[in-house]
Amino acid sequence: MWFKNLRLYRLTSPFEPSAAELDERMQGNAFRPCGSLEMASFGWVPPVGTASAPRVHAANGCLMGCGRKEEKVLPAAVVREEVDFRAAKIEEQELRTVGRKERGRLRDEVLMDLLPKAFTRSRRIYAYIAPRQGLLVVDTATATGAEELISLLRESLETLPLRPLQ
């Protein structure tokens, strides 16, 4: 596996946890698939090997981890079409116009009805920590993806002082 899009961050204090300690801390934020009414789920998965492998791969003094994000795919056009259909049905049956607030309520109902049937999309974000060099390297093309992974890492470690490398 090769990293394609690197985002580099400088650790502002020494990174202390070993691979075993980091794996233990990541266990609390392990990946679980989206529930029927959840839009997204994000957690740690093993970077190499099977699902029973450790969540941290240690090699040559570096620690590698992988975050997996699963999102429900509900196209806006599908939601809008269903809201319009339900609004037209109400207008026809009750001979009145449907206002903005009621359309918002209809949209929420449509989302709750369609979420359990929605497809899911999954992606992985890999990262490694080089404690001796004081670097965190995240393999993602977007700053948002990097921030999601860093937030998950901070949640697992309780603190992670770093700043983008310039």
Side-chain angles (χ1 to χ4, degrees):
M1 177 198 53
W2 297 97
F3 282 35
K4 296 178 183 176
N5 302 291
L6 296 182
R7 297 209 174 250
L8 301 169
Y9 297 87
R10 171 77 57 200
L11 298 169
T12 57
S13 66
F15 190 80
E16 300 297 328
S18 67
E21 291 169 359
L22 184 57
D23 183 59
E24 188 177 310
R25 290 181 184 185
M26 286 178 164
Q27 195 159 1
N29 294 327
F31 174 76
R32 57 176 183 66
C34 285
S36 63
L37 295 178
E38 285 181 306
M39 282 296 288
S41 177
F42 193 47
W44 297 111
V45 294
V48 292
T50 62
S52 62
R55 287 177 187 82
V56 176
H57 177 72
N60 200 21
C62 295
L63 307 170
M64 184 171 166
C66 179
R68 179 175 173 193
K69 184 167 187 174
E70 187 177 85
E71 298 173 298
K72 295 279 180 111
V73 179
L74 262 178
V78 171
V79 174
R80 194 175 326 113
E81 186 176 307
E82 183 64 23
V83 168
D84 290 343
F85 173 76
R86 290 184 186 189
K89 194 173 177 182
I90 289 171
E91 288 173 353
E92 182 181 307
Q93 289 176 348
E94 299 179 13
L95 300 172
R96 63 178 179 85
T97 60
V98 175
R100 184 187 298 178
K101 268 188 177 179
E102 191 172 6
R103 273 189 178 274
R105 186 183 52 77
L106 284 174
R107 183 180 182 284
D108 292 342
E109 287 177 11
V110 167
L111 284 174
M112 290 301 122
D113 290 346
L114 294 180
L115 266 179
K117 303 173 198 170
F119 289 108
T120 59
R121 174 178 50 207
S122 181
R123 66 184 170 108
R124 293 174 184 250
I125 302 173
Y126 290 89
Y128 77 87
I129 300 168
R132 282 182 269 169
Q133 293 81 12
L135 291 175
L136 169 68
V137 179
V138 182
D139 181 25
T140 183
T142 65
T144 306
E147 284 302 318
E148 286 175 335
L149 186 106
I150 290 169
S151 294
L152 185 63
L153 189 55
R154 279 189 175 127
E155 191 177 319
S156 298
L157 294 173
E158 297 171 2
T159 182
L160 183 66
L162 54 84
R163 58 185 166 78
L165 191 65
Q166 295 179 354

